[in-house]
Amino acid sequence: MEQIKIVIAGPRGRMGQEAVKLVNETEHFTLSAVIDKINDGEWFQDQVRTYTNPEQCFAETSPDVLIDLTTPEVGKIHTKLALEHGVRPVVGTTGFQEEDLQELRKLAEEKGIGAIIAPNFAIGAVLMMKFAKMAARYFPDVEIIEMHHDKKLDAPSGTGIKTAEMIYEVRGNKKQGHPEEKETIKGARGGEWNGIHIHSVRLPGLVAHQEVLFGGDGQTLKIRHDSYNRASFMSGVKLSVETVMKIDTLVYGLENIIE
Ligand SMILES: NC(=O)c1ccc[n+]([C@@H]2O[C@H](COP(=O)([O-])OP(=O)(O)OC[C@H]3O[C@@H](n4cnc5c(N)ncnc54)[C@H](O)[C@@H]3O)[C@@H](O)[C@H]2O)c1
Ligand SMILES: O=C(O)C1=N[C@H](C(=O)O)CCC1
């Protein structure tokens, strides 16, 4: 199998550390360099050079793929720079808006290279979203409760937003609850996107969890996924790296690349 040369941005982070392990343990993956916000020019784990300047990194190491696991603002910059340098981004970083996706898709297509932005790499989470989309056809009343560790920067989570988008595709906009309901404490009903309420819980001890709660006449349906560690995301990262080499547009969401 042909070697895929990979740069990882955010290699010291919770996800970055797992991604480094994945790349080192996968025979046809090679780590070319890492991009960090500190340690410019230093060796990373006695293995590859650290760059703080992504453009210099891409120019000097000519990788095939960038795996970005940083922060919402940094991730957007890295993804754009990667595409401009002909490097295929696999992005787990969350916080991308619709207009970011549009701009990046245009850039990927102009360059004729693939890009994958996946709010959740865990296969179980992707199935949870697909099942939620199926259920929404029969249960249009739904609320999303996403629960994450308390170091998370963005709320709602990328997964929460993606789930709402997938439900919206079949259900459309719908006002839920009492037409005259009023919040006596601001935010009590969570965030709302096209009538879908998303509640964000942040607690120490959690990793990444989500429940999609449907209600109908005399019944409820709960679809829940739990990631107990970051290894749960790595088979999705591996699949994304392999797939991004074969496509020539931007794919948003792993549900579009798994059967
Ligand atoms: N798609 C998924 O399945 C999935 C799963 C878990 C986390 N995430 C997302 O991945 C991102 C990272 O999560 P985490 O828990 O690993 O966070 P983290 O805070 O542990 O790691 C982020 C890392 O990015 C680094 N960083 C910050 N600025 C940088 C810069 N300018 N250049 C290079 N590196 C920089 C930080 O030093 C840190 O090590 C978040 O956006 C999170 O929401 C996605
Ligand atoms: O730990 C995080 O941060 C996670 N973020 C993703 C999201 O925002 O949906 C997915 C799971 C973990």
Side-chain angles (χ1 to χ4, degrees):
M1 205 176 266
E2 205 151 307
Q3 284 295 311
I4 303 176
K5 289 172 63 185
I6 299 168
V7 161
I8 296 176
R12 292 176 302 113
R14 287 175 288 269
M15 281 291 280
Q17 291 179 44
E18 282 296 332
V20 169
K21 223 186 297 170
L22 169 77
V23 171
N24 284 334
E25 287 170 0
T26 306
E27 227 173 278
H28 59 289
F29 290 178
T30 304
L31 188 64
S32 296
V34 295
I35 301 174
D36 207 334
K37 61 179 177 188
I38 54 168
N39 299 337
D40 191 38
E42 290 182 19
W43 285 98
F44 175 77
Q45 295 182 353
D46 294 329
Q47 195 188 357
V48 291
R49 198 196 134 155
T50 303
Y51 289 84
T52 53
N53 180 333
E55 295 197 84
Q56 186 189 356
C57 175
F58 300 145
E60 288 184 9
T61 66
S62 307
D64 300 304
V65 172
L66 163 74
I67 299 178
D68 191 273
L69 299 160
T70 58
T71 64
E73 286 321 308
V74 172
K76 287 173 204 169
I77 297 167
H78 284 175
T79 306
K80 190 166 178 219
L81 288 174
L83 287 169
E84 285 169 354
H85 284 77
V87 179
R88 295 160 187 263
V90 167
V91 181
T93 306
T94 45
F96 285 68
Q97 312 286 315
E98 179 52 35
E99 53 272 25
D100 303 317
L101 297 174
Q102 277 178 21
E103 184 194 347
L104 294 166
R105 180 170 293 115
K106 189 163 168 271
L107 190 52
E109 289 175 357
E110 276 166 16
K111 291 281 180 183
I113 60 174
I116 296 177
I117 298 179
N120 202 314
F121 286 118
I123 303 302
V126 178
L127 290 174
M128 166 193 60
M129 291 185 257
K130 283 187 154 217
F131 296 155
K133 182 175 174 177
M134 281 170 67
R137 196 174 291 282
Y138 307 97
F139 288 91
D141 288 271
V142 53
E143 306 223 353
I144 297 168
I145 303 140
E146 57 92 344
M147 295 153 274
H148 283 82
H149 58 92
D150 62 350
K151 302 286 180 292
K152 186 161 177 59
L153 291 174
D154 50 321
S157 68
T159 311
I161 296 169
K162 183 67 166 148
T163 309
E165 289 168 351
M166 288 172 68
I167 289 170
Y168 178 77
E169 282 172 34
V170 296
R171 183 202 88 150
N173 201 335
K174 180 179 193 294
K175 172 91 180 101
Q176 288 181 197
H178 196 289
E180 289 164 26
E181 78 179 6
K182 283 195 179 52
E183 285 182 335
T184 51
I185 297 178
K186 192 171 172 295
R189 295 285 290 117
E192 193 205 313
W193 182 82
N194 281 313
I196 303 169
H197 292 253
I198 310 179
H199 309 266
S200 297
V201 177
R202 297 291 176 262
L203 284 173
L206 294 174
V207 177
H209 317 259
Q210 182 171 288
E211 200 161 286
V212 189
L213 182 55
F214 295 91
D217 276 347
Q219 56 182 321
T220 61
L221 170 67
K222 288 176 202 155
I223 304 175
R224 181 175 171 117
H225 176 260
D226 297 276
S227 270
Y228 297 108
N229 60 37
R230 271 104 193 160
S232 65
F233 304 112
M234 291 304 129
S235 60
V237 175
K238 180 169 181 281
L239 175 68
S240 300
V241 170
E242 290 162 349
T243 305
V244 83
M245 294 301 294
K246 302 177 200 152
I247 58 175
D248 55 10
T249 184
L250 182 145
V251 169
Y252 167 54
L254 222 58
E255 70 281 3
N256 297 304
I257 63 170
I258 62 169
E259 286 304 308

